[in-house]
Amino acid sequence: MKCRKMFCLMFLLVLGCSGGDEGSTKHRETYPASGIVTLDGTPLSGVTILLRLKTDDISASAVTSKDGSFQLTTYEQNDGAVEGEYDIIVYKNDSRSPAGSADSNEVDTVSEPKIPIPVKYTIFEQSGLSTTITPEGNNTIELALESK
């Protein structure tokens, strides 16, 4: 009888510890998404793009390369974005030396000229920027900002 109770207890314990999401947050499927950011026709490098899903608490982001191009990240580097409609903001992170930088003088020699992004593009409710990510098709986002 003791063995039977012990077996049942062990069986329930094993069932309770296996399967399920193991306490982790489930990730929704993402789809490749990329684009380019320009200001008055000039590509913006080193700016951050932040997308906020309109229907859920999910966001995607990217930092532009020298030619203004970017690839979105939601959960893992360059994995894209979840399907849906997004509001977008664009802003410049003005930190002068990255954490762990070996030599702050080196950072100063490669610093980029400051290009002011109009404030309206940094506020979700005012930016006027939006996009829709779909499972099929080309998720290319062209953000043509204007200084005036």
Side-chain angles (χ1 to χ4, degrees):
M1 189 69 161
K2 270 187 170 180
C3 271
R4 185 179 224 182
K5 285 183 182 179
M6 188 65 109
F7 176 77
C8 287
L9 182 61
M10 292 297 285
F11 181 74
L12 290 174
L13 183 61
V14 168
L15 273 180
C17 291
S18 64
D21 64 5
E22 299 176 10
S24 66
T25 303
K26 287 187 177 182
H27 290 176
R28 291 175 49 188
E29 189 169 356
T30 57
Y31 303 95
S34 59
I36 188 164
V37 180
T38 59
L39 178 63
D40 298 329
T42 302
L44 290 177
S45 73
V47 298
T48 300
I49 294 84
L50 181 61
L51 283 73
R52 180 177 69 183
L53 192 61
K54 291 182 179 187
T55 59
D56 210 342
D57 190 24
I58 297 176
S59 61
S61 64
V63 175
T64 59
S65 60
K66 289 186 181 195
D67 64 356
S69 66
F70 62 88
Q71 289 188 313
L72 289 177
T73 296
T74 298
Y75 305 113
E76 297 176 12
Q77 187 71 25
N78 300 331
D79 65 349
V82 171
E83 178 181 8
E85 294 180 28
Y86 288 84
D87 290 318
I88 305 172
I89 58 171
V90 179
Y91 61 93
K92 178 80 173 169
N93 185 352
D94 287 329
S95 70
R96 291 326 247 159
S97 60
S101 174
D103 184 1
S104 62
N105 289 333
E106 182 179 326
V107 173
D108 288 339
T109 61
V110 295
S111 64
E112 300 168 25
K114 286 196 175 253
I115 299 174
I117 296 174
V119 174
K120 75 175 190 174
Y121 295 117
T122 67
I123 302 168
F124 282 112
E125 294 76 21
Q126 295 178 12
S127 76
L129 303 173
S130 63
T131 194
T132 301
I133 301 298
T134 61
E136 62 281 323
N138 187 2
N139 291 310
T140 301
I141 304 161
E142 293 184 24
L143 301 173
L145 310 183
E146 297 178 354
S147 60
K148 295 181 187 195

